[in-house]
Every structure is written in structure tokens, then in C-alpha cells.
Amino acid sequence: MSAWHRADGSLDPRKVRAAYPILATRPGGNPLHYLDSAATAQRPKQVVDAVSNFLFTANANPHRGAYALGTAATDAYEGARARVARFLNVPATELIMLGSATEALNLVARSWGRANIHRGDLIVVTEAEHHANLIPWQQVAREADADIEFIPVDDRTGEILWDRLDSLLKLRPKVVALAHVSNVLGSIAPLAEIASHVHAVGALLSVDGCQAVSNMPVSIPELGADFYAFSAHKMGGLFSGGGLWARADLLAEMAPIETGGDMIREVRLRDATFAEGTQRFEAGTPDASGTVALAAACDFLDELGRAAIHEHETRLLARVLRELPDALPDVRILGTPHAEGRAGLVSFSSDLVHAHDLATILDRRGVAIRAGHHCAMPLHEQLELSATARVSVAPYTDDDDLDALFEGLRDARAIFSR
Ligand SMILES: Cc1ncc(COP(=O)(O)O)c(C=O)c1O
């Protein structure tokens, strides 16, 4: 048993909450019930302490200073990269540290994509993708005069119809890009199975792992992906930070899309050669504090235990799925009706109460949920919804948060039933 667990090994959110000072604040005068961790997670004290320790004891420009403090900064940055790599079970030499998942997904499309997607080639994505995993491919397709096809979703639930993938694969795409966990549906993609089908036709699989890495155990080699992107601020790290794992042979062939300091081998007035490995994708001063924070976030998530986090969150999601239809009788729940097969979130809509009204009414009780299209406008259009409400959970979410959610939903129902 640890400081964060019950005697039976399960996560005790009351203990976990002590690590998050913000949860004791009262924005708007109400106790905070933060149910928007899928947008950005709250930061544990351990992460902020690690950043201040780095900035107060090892702050210098990494990879540059020929003095002891510079070496300390380089060691802290590279040590943090190694820690994040261990978290994902990949070699540090294959892990590019970037400013966000958006940067990582753009890097895949603009580096690998531009070099490998040509006129008439096909890119496959799902209809449910976050804009960050859709627009970069739209751009590549437009520039190359290539095509994009979409794995469709069920019109009612939004569930991705994976059984349609094989017919798209017969068209021989060059790449299939999709989310490990959809940020609207919450459903976990059966990646290993998808990867074997994608690879059988010689295509690559690029995965957006933003909503997976903090909610469940993720070991990249077991997934069969060729690229895997993730975001620090969804994991308890800072707003800056994130990364891309790329298969070693792909990484070796990829050209940088940003150039400047720190990514070069030699520069002459009319040309330059670039550094080997991950360094040539990290132009300019690296985000050392963001990476140190991300490593501390990985430490903390591992201290809590990712299997225990997933179990805890699955129990909370099961309660949300079970009680939503009572609270809002006309509710339309997106994604799988089962908590198993989900990670971290549930989105829903109601004809009685618009998602934005719901969020406003809930805010009166200090309940923070997300309302909108969640950067997945095409999915919402497909479902003929202008917006959905999204409840997302984290290791620090407890049943009091859900009690407040359901009380607020009943308020909303009473107001709009008048
Ligand atoms: C599935 C998914 N992909 C990509 C992103 C973008 O991540 P970042 O904020 O790190 O750019 C998000 C964040 O909203 C997301 O949920």
C-alpha cells in the first residue's frame, strides 16, 4: 500500500487529491468539481516542484554551456527524455520532444507525409479525428494532389466502424492516421489488430495517443504503431511539452521541418548539414522545463499506477453511463455504451438542454465540463449535432464530483422542463 492507495491496492482519490492544490480552491465561490481533464489535466505538486527545482538549480541552455551548470541542464533535459521514453517503453533515441501533440502530428504529416505522399496516393483517417490529426493530412493531400478517405462512424453513436477499414485498405493507402482513444467518443481503438491489417497492405499507422497515455497503460511496441504522438498537458505536465515516437528507420529518413540552432552538424553561408537522430527535429532552445515537468508527471502517474488509474476511471465512467439516462431521460450517449473499452471520458447530448446551457448551469455548482465540438467538427456534423457535453475523469476525480454533476444535471432538467 502507498500514500495514494487503499489496502486492496485500488486508487484512493481522496488521498490523490491532496497532491493537487487547485482542487481545494473555490472558483466562483463553489467547491471545484473538475470534470474537464481531457482538455487539460490538473498538475500535481510533484510536477511544479520538479520544474522549480530545475529552474532554481540547473537552469542553463541545454546542449550549449561548456560549464558545470550547462552540463546539469543538458543532463536534466536528456534524463527527462529518457524517463518519458521509459514510460512509453521506447528507446530515448526514437523520442522527439516537441511543444505539443499538435506539433508532433504536424511533423508526421509535413516531414514523412510530404516526402512520401504523391499525386494519386491515398491517406486514410477516421471521421472522428481531432482537427490536429486531420488538417495536417488535408494540407498534405492538397499539396500533393493526393486523396483522403475516411473510416466512417455510426450515425447515431459515432462509434468508428472498424469493419469498414478492410475495404479502404484494398485501395492501398500509404498511411492510416487515427486516435488511440477518441477525444469525443472515449472509445479505445483496437490498435494491434488495426496495425496488422494496415501493415499487411504496406501502409503505415500513425497514432494520436493524446487521450490514452494518462488514462491507461501504454507500451508503444505492443500497439504496432509506426508513429505515436502525445501531449504533456493531458498528463499533468506543463502546457508546453509533448512528443513524437517514430520508428527508427522512418526517423532516420525524415527531414526536419523547422531549422535553426541546435539541430545542425555544420553550417556554411549557402548550405547546412543536420544533426543525426531526434536532435534535428528539435530546432532552437529545447523546452527543457516542459520536458522535466513531463518526466515528473510520468513519475507521478507510475506512482499511482496506470492500471490502477484505468480501473478507477472505468468505475467512474460506468457510473456516469449508468446514471445519465435517469438524470436526462432523452440523453444520447456517444461511443460505446460500456465503460470497458473506454478511457477517460463520456460525451453526450440532449434535445432538452443544449450542451452550452448545461455547462453554464453546472458551473453554478462548481462543476466544470466541456461543451462544444471538442476540435472534432466533422464528427459532430456527421452526427448532426452542433455541440456535445463531455465529462472527463482523472485519478483525482471522486464520487463527490459525480454527485455534484448529477445534481446539476437534475437542476438543468427541471429548468428546461418548465
Ligand atoms: C485527441 C487529441 N489530439 C490532439 C490534441 C492536441 O493536443 P495539444 O493540445 O498537445 O496540441 C488533443 C487535445 O485537445 C486531443 O484531445
Side-chain angles (χ1 to χ4, degrees):
M1 195 177 56
S2 81
W4 319 113
H5 299 89
R6 299 188 185 94
D8 65 2
S10 65
L11 212 59
D12 186 340
R14 275 173 315 158
K15 293 178 178 168
V16 175
R17 291 170 77 85
Y20 296 84
I22 201 168
L23 297 177
T25 64
R26 299 172 66 89
N30 293 303
L32 175 61
H33 298 288
Y34 188 72
L35 294 173
D36 198 19
S37 298
T40 199
Q42 295 304 340
R43 279 57 160 174
K45 215 171 159 303
Q46 286 77 349
V47 166
V48 178
D49 288 349
V51 176
S52 60
N53 182 50
F54 168 72
L55 294 175
F56 290 151
T57 65
N59 182 54
N61 205 318
H63 300 154
R64 285 173 172 83
Y67 44 84
L69 190 64
T71 307
T74 304
D75 290 350
Y77 176 57
E78 292 302 337
R81 183 203 307 271
R83 174 64 185 99
V84 179
R86 227 171 37 250
F87 185 80
L88 297 168
N89 200 19
V90 295
T93 50
E94 297 170 11
L95 189 63
I96 307 166
M97 302 315 302
L98 297 161
S100 64
T102 299
E103 269 185 30
L105 295 164
N106 272 278
L107 177 60
V108 177
R110 288 161 62 193
S111 176
W112 181 86
R114 276 185 183 156
N116 291 280
I117 303 287
H118 306 294
R119 173 173 298 191
D121 281 347
L122 179 64
I123 296 160
V124 169
V125 303
T126 80
E127 285 179 345
E129 288 318 297
H130 188 286
H131 299 160
N133 201 27
L134 170 64
I135 303 171
W137 293 113
Q138 292 175 345
Q139 299 283 99
V140 169
R142 193 167 299 121
E143 285 166 18
D145 197 13
D147 296 317
I148 310 189
E149 287 293 343
F150 301 91
I151 307 170
V153 296
D154 180 275
D155 288 347
R156 181 78 198 152
T157 64
E159 272 293 78
I160 300 167
L161 301 172
W162 296 117
D163 57 355
R164 305 290 181 81
L165 175 63
D166 280 342
S167 59
L168 291 170
L169 292 178
K170 288 197 182 109
L171 305 173
R172 299 256 157 193
K174 283 272 183 81
V175 62
V176 177
L178 46 85
H180 192 173
V181 172
S182 158
N183 67 309
V184 180
L185 308 169
S187 313
I188 304 170
L191 278 190
E193 197 186 332
I194 290 170
S196 74
H197 290 228
V198 168
H199 291 152
V201 299
L204 295 189
L205 180 62
S206 177
V207 177
D208 171 357
C210 276
Q211 296 295 343
V213 285
S214 56
N215 294 315
M216 58 196 244
V218 170
S219 165
I220 291 177
E222 285 156 42
L223 304 175
D226 299 292
F227 298 106
Y228 196 95
F230 58 96
S231 171
H233 71 93
K234 315 266 188 204
M235 302 165 69
L238 300 188
F239 279 112
S240 62
L244 177 71
W245 169 79
R247 227 178 62 200
D249 55 322
L250 300 171
L251 191 129
E253 285 169 10
M254 281 163 57
I257 57 169
E258 302 261 315
T259 53
D262 216 33
M263 52 76 68
I264 51 93
R265 190 189 303 151
E266 249 181 14
V267 182
R268 292 164 296 271
L269 277 179
R270 292 190 187 279
D271 58 13
T273 53
F274 305 138
E276 296 289 310
T278 55
Q279 201 176 335
R280 74 178 184 289
F281 301 101
E282 297 173 5
T285 298
D287 180 11
S289 41
T291 308
V292 165
L294 177 55
C298 293
D299 281 344
F300 192 62
L301 289 171
D302 274 345
E303 217 176 293
L304 301 182
R306 284 180 276 169
I309 291 172
H310 189 54
E311 212 177 285
H312 168 69
E313 294 182 1
T314 302
R315 191 188 65 73
L316 293 170
L317 294 180
R319 182 176 165 200
V320 173
L321 292 169
R322 197 172 54 244
E323 294 186 21
L324 258 179
D326 273 342
L328 282 178
D330 72 331
V331 74
R332 175 176 170 192
I333 294 174
L334 302 188
T336 166
H338 309 293
E340 296 74 26
R342 271 185 187 268
L345 62 97
V346 175
S347 300
F348 57 94
S349 73
S350 157
D351 287 337
L352 184 68
V353 196
H354 190 276
H356 286 121
D357 292 327
L358 210 50
T360 306
I361 292 167
L362 288 169
D363 184 46
R364 290 186 202 155
R365 288 183 177 268
V367 179
I369 66 158
R370 177 86 183 266
H373 53 63
H374 321 301
C375 298
M377 282 178 89
L379 172 63
H380 282 76
E381 199 174 309
Q382 211 58 30
L383 299 174
E384 296 185 359
L385 291 170
S386 60
T388 48
R390 184 180 71 187
V391 168
S392 51
V393 298
Y396 44 78
T397 310
D398 64 10
D399 278 297
D400 288 349
D401 295 325
L402 298 191
D403 289 346
L405 167 73
F406 286 114
E407 280 160 24
L409 291 179
R410 277 185 276 272
D411 287 349
R413 179 181 163 190
I415 293 167
F416 281 86
S417 301
R418 275 181 207 144

